[in-house]
Amino acid sequence: MAALTSAQSGNFTASATWGGASPADGDTFTVSAGHSVTCSTVLMPTNGYGDITVHGKWSMISGSQFKLNG
């Protein structure tokens, strides 16, 4: 499990949003102040994602799903 922090605004699944690799099953993540991260797909990893911290903006597009286990 990794702890990731957003490097820029963008789509949740885009590796550039996280500075190299997007969050995977069990990872925790932080959306940094001034960043906007958008979930636009169905993301249902086996164990879910760990805790999330949002200092910026987190949004989900209509029809998207996200499994959180934090």
Side-chain angles (χ1 to χ4, degrees):
M1 294 188 294
L4 300 162
T5 300
S6 63
Q8 64 183 36
S9 294
N11 194 288
F12 180 81
T13 59
S15 59
T17 302
W18 306 102
S22 57
D25 193 17
D27 289 349
T28 63
F29 61 91
T30 298
V31 177
S32 298
H35 293 171
S36 178
V37 175
T38 303
C39 178
S40 60
T41 189
V42 175
L43 298 167
M44 303 295 279
T46 303
N47 297 308
Y49 297 101
D51 294 340
I52 64 172
T53 302
V54 179
H55 298 292
K57 181 179 178 186
W58 167 258
S59 59
M60 295 184 71
I61 303 298
S62 179
S64 62
Q65 296 179 21
F66 189 84
K67 183 177 180 182
L68 180 65
N69 192 24

